[in-house]
Amino acid sequence: MSLDTSAVNIENENDKSLLEQNRRLDSELRAEREKLRIVEMQVAALKISHPIQNNAQPAISVDVARGRLGLDAWKALTDAGRLQAIGVDPNTVTDATKAEVMELFGPKSDSAKAHDAFKSNAGRYRHLKNIGICAGWI
């Protein structure tokens, strides 16, 4: 009988060991999940506070379009035609766009504000500059 009892004791100890290991791994898993949840919240907060900057170049710059068309053909185009040549729909260029272009690049522009606009969204900055050049505002 002592053999049976010792075998049961060994099984009980193995079960206890496995149960403790299972509890430890479960608590580690919960802790890792909590860390992941916190990191995901931090990433979401960063995405809101620091939007992804669009540093892409415009579809085509004014210089490239002018070079492809030739100077005479470029001068013959209307403002709307020039905007289309650089890939901008002329209907999207509004008075608000003109005001923004003039604020950033016009004769009374503030270089610090223009610099901040470039840092916050370089792609939009380049886009506005090309629109201003095509429309003859700057």
Side-chain angles (χ1 to χ4, degrees):
M1 273 212 163
S2 68
L3 290 175
D4 292 335
T5 307
S6 64
V8 170
N9 286 341
I10 291 173
E11 285 180 20
N12 283 340
E13 287 187 26
N14 284 338
D15 288 345
K16 286 180 183 177
S17 172
L18 289 174
L19 185 60
E20 286 181 31
Q21 184 179 9
N22 188 14
R23 286 181 182 154
R24 183 181 51 81
L25 291 173
D26 185 54
S27 66
E28 287 178 13
L29 178 62
R30 288 175 193 238
E32 289 299 318
R33 284 183 179 162
E34 181 63 18
K35 286 179 188 176
L36 178 62
R37 187 183 70 81
I38 291 170
V39 168
E40 286 173 345
M41 288 180 359
Q42 289 172 339
V43 167
L46 281 173
K47 283 181 180 178
I48 291 169
S49 65
H50 300 331
I52 295 173
Q53 293 182 0
N54 180 7
N55 290 322
Q57 294 289 336
I60 185 171
S61 71
V62 174
D63 295 330
V64 172
R66 191 182 305 136
R68 287 183 183 172
L69 291 172
L71 189 57
D72 293 334
W74 180 261
K75 288 182 178 180
L77 290 174
T78 63
D79 289 345
R82 288 188 197 112
L83 288 169
Q84 287 177 337
I86 65 166
V88 175
D89 180 10
N91 296 326
T92 62
V93 180
T94 62
D95 289 337
T97 307
K98 181 177 181 177
E100 192 174 358
V101 167
M102 295 308 289
E103 185 178 351
L104 293 174
F105 307 108
K108 297 179 182 177
S109 63
D110 179 14
S111 63
K113 191 167 193 169
H115 180 72
D116 289 341
F118 181 81
K119 285 188 339 188
S120 67
N121 191 341
R124 174 84 174 142
Y125 177 91
R126 290 182 189 108
H127 180 74
L128 289 172
K129 186 171 185 178
N130 281 326
I131 288 173
I133 292 169
C134 283
W137 300 330
I138 55 173

